Structures are given as C-alpha cells and as structure tokens.
Amino acid sequence: MSDSRAADEAIDWQPAQTYAGYLDLDRLLGAQHPRSGDRDEMLFIIVHQASELWLKLFLHEIGGAMQGIAADALDDALKVLARVGRVQAQLIEGWDVLATMTPAEYARLRPHLGTSSGFQSAQYRELEFRLGNKDARLAEVHRRDAGAYARLQTALREASLYDLALGLLARRGFAIPEAALARDWRAAYAPCADVEAAWLAIYRDPEKYWDLYDLAEKLVDLEDRLQQWRFRHWRTVQRIIGTKSGTGGSSGAPYLARALDLRLFPELWTLRARL
Ligand code: HEM
C-alpha cells in the first residue's frame, strides 16, 4: 500500500489542459517587475495588481447588474450586486496588507515609481463613471491610450447604474421627472425631490415593493463599501506618506479626502432622515 495521499485517486498526471495554461499563469506570475531591489516592492506591486484584478471583476459584474436592471430582470441584477459586495470586501481587505508597509519602506520605492499613480487607473475611473461619478476632466489623463480613452468616453456618455435604476422606477409607475430620465448622461446627476419621494414610498412599504427595496439597500451597500475603500486609501496614504504630495501630482491625502464627500445615490441617503 502506497502512503501517497493520491494513491487511490483517478488523477490525470499528464493533463491535456493544465491549470497554468487555463489561467495563463506564466504571464500573470511573470508580470511582477520590482525596480528598486528592495524586498518590500513585491508587496506594493502585488496589492496593486490584485486590486486591478478585483476591479476588473467589479466592472464586469456591474455591467451585468446594469443589463439586468435595464432589461427588467431585477432578480438577476440583485444576485450580481450581492457578489459585487463580496468583491468590494476583497478590495477593502487589500488595505490591511498594504498598511504593513512603513513610511521608510515606501520611501525606498518612491523614486522608482516616477510619475505613475493609481490616479491613472483606467479601470477605477471607468467604474466610477459607470457608478455615476461623472467627471469628464478625469478621463484626460488617458488621452494617449486610445483603448482606455474610448472606453471612458463610452462610460461617460451612457446612463449610469443609478440612471438605469431610476428608469426602472419610472417603468414601475413612480413619478420620476423627465429631467432625470432623458438627460445628458455625461453631466453629474443632480438630486431631486421627486426621486426622493419615489424611494421614500418604497421604504415606507417594503412588502409591497420588496425587490425595489432590496435594490435600494444593495445600492446603499455598494456606495458604503466604496466609501470604506476610499477611506482606507486616504488613511493608508496618510500613514505611509503623511502630508507629502502624490506621484500623480496631486496634493496627496487632501485630494483623496475630497472624494469622501461624493454621493453616488444621493436620495437614498437623504430619505433616511424622513422615515
Ligand atoms: C502605498 C500605497 C499608496 C499610496 C501612497 C497611494 C497614494 C495615492 C495618492 C497620493 C493619490 C492621489 C493622486 C496622486 O497624486 O498620485 C492616489 C490616487 C489613487 N490611488 Fe493610490 N496610493 C496607494 C495605493 C493604492 C492602491 C493599492 C490602489 C489600488 C488600485 C490605489 C488606487 C488609486 C486610485 C484609483 C487613485 C485615484 C483616486 C481618485 O481619483 O479618486 N492606490 N493614490
């Protein structure tokens, strides 16, 4: 009798399709190129790369949720939004790993980062646009990357997740003003009393409007987790670089703090004072 754990298993020892091949691991695991010779740079690179992978899934799933809402397939969208919440939890956890980096460790890498900055993350910007934080100026840093720039322009001119949710409310008979349903989607969304009244009606009678109530709370979850991510970013940056400016040229922590005042789904927050 062999003492190997695999002795009685029908394992394919020469698989035609391999794990590494399916996942393209040679490229994925060959994509870390530390420049400083400092051992802590691997942490910095991997947390960023892992975050970009989660952002990729976040964007992918948000696209699915938006399709579901637009097609009145709300159950599908709710299922996807539940997954988005878990993806966001992974993104937030990333800060705990990165926060083990001390200011001195980061200072050794900083000269090697040059002018590169998360500010130039095209996926993050596309995601913010899809979620409704439209700011055309922020796409300009991608001008020289035709593919990214085109994707950002598309995301800017298309309805956001919240715009689609308001369209759904209108189709369900709520009095959503025309100005919220057919507007220039590139412009930032302006909160309005009629939209708040519609959500308020849903919150006052959850049993009658259960799926819309569930949608509203999932949107609140999403925005809450996005704020947690932004907050952890801001605090981690304060912890690691203090009051220094960013590699992307901004004021650093003060620039990041300003994002904490943004609201994606404003009426879902204001209605809470009226319940
Ligand atoms: C030591 C770690 C980090 C530091 C010191 C840092 C610092 C900064 C600073 C100062 C900015 C403002 C723009 C600038 O002037 O560069 C910024 C923006 C940004 N960073 Fe980080 N960051 C860190 C880690 C990360 C990680 C892990 C991600 C994950 C993808 C990330 C994503 C972003 C994004 C998306 C922005 C743009 C935010 C916006 O415009 O609202 N950063 N970062």
Side-chain angles (χ1 to χ4, degrees):
M1 196 174 88
S2 160
D3 57 3
S4 166
R5 199 160 55 87
D8 300 326
E9 306 290 339
I11 286 172
D12 182 351
W13 295 104
Q14 302 300 322
Q17 176 166 301
T18 65
Y19 176 78
Y22 176 72
L23 296 173
D24 204 358
L25 289 185
D26 279 353
R27 283 208 296 159
L28 188 67
L29 301 178
Q32 293 70 43
H33 308 291
R35 293 169 181 224
S36 65
D38 196 285
R39 68 178 297 282
D40 297 305
E41 193 172 354
M42 193 58 94
L43 165 73
F44 185 83
I45 292 174
I46 288 185
V47 172
H48 278 84
Q49 289 184 338
S51 300
E52 287 290 337
L53 281 176
W54 286 121
L55 285 173
K56 182 168 185 170
L57 185 59
F58 194 163
L59 254 179
H60 175 78
E61 300 293 356
I62 281 296
M66 290 171 74
Q67 263 177 13
I69 292 171
D72 292 308
L74 191 49
D75 284 353
D76 294 352
L78 292 171
K79 163 83 174 59
V80 173
L81 288 173
R83 179 179 296 164
V84 163
R86 305 323 305 153
V87 171
Q88 288 184 282
Q90 293 295 322
L91 278 160
I92 295 165
E93 278 292 307
W95 294 116
D96 276 348
V97 186
L98 196 56
T100 64
M101 174 173 264
T102 65
E105 287 164 356
Y106 178 74
R108 288 198 287 273
L109 315 181
R110 190 168 163 137
H112 301 273
L113 303 178
T115 52
S116 63
S117 161
F119 180 75
Q120 300 141 12
S121 167
Q123 291 201 107
Y124 181 80
R125 201 58 68 204
E126 186 178 349
L127 185 63
E128 287 238 344
F129 290 173
R130 290 289 175 201
L131 295 178
N133 184 18
K134 303 275 178 97
D135 183 341
R137 175 95 184 99
L138 297 180
E140 291 309 307
V141 78
H142 300 281
R143 269 265 182 205
R144 284 181 295 178
D145 178 345
Y149 193 71
R151 277 194 303 281
L152 288 169
Q153 294 307 314
T154 305
L156 271 172
R157 69 169 174 267
E158 290 183 356
S160 72
L161 175 66
Y162 195 56
D163 296 323
L164 294 176
L166 299 186
L168 174 68
L169 294 194
R171 294 195 296 283
R172 292 281 188 95
F174 290 92
I176 304 297
E178 201 49 31
L181 296 174
R183 60 184 191 91
D184 174 6
W185 304 123
R186 294 174 60 93
Y189 174 76
C192 94
D194 290 341
V195 169
E196 188 188 274
W199 288 121
L200 198 55
I202 292 164
Y203 273 75
R204 286 195 167 133
D205 197 350
E207 268 145 45
K208 181 166 175 197
Y209 303 113
W210 187 260
D211 59 349
L212 296 175
Y213 183 62
D214 194 4
L215 173 65
E217 283 296 285
K218 287 213 162 53
L219 293 180
V220 170
D221 278 344
L222 192 162
E223 179 158 8
D224 189 45
R225 289 199 182 93
L226 185 63
Q227 286 295 31
Q228 288 180 43
W229 185 88
R230 288 176 175 149
F231 180 80
R232 293 297 310 275
H233 187 197
W234 171 58
R235 293 296 288 170
T236 309
V237 166
Q238 277 191 322
R239 177 176 175 153
I240 297 181
I241 65 169
T243 56
K244 288 182 191 168
S245 56
T247 47
S250 82
S251 56
Y255 168 82
L256 297 173
R258 283 204 288 281
L260 299 176
D261 294 328
L262 294 169
R263 278 276 176 267
L264 293 176
F265 317 128
E267 294 90 349
L268 290 177
W269 296 95
T270 51
L271 76 82
R272 290 168 137 73
R274 299 185 55 201
L275 281 167

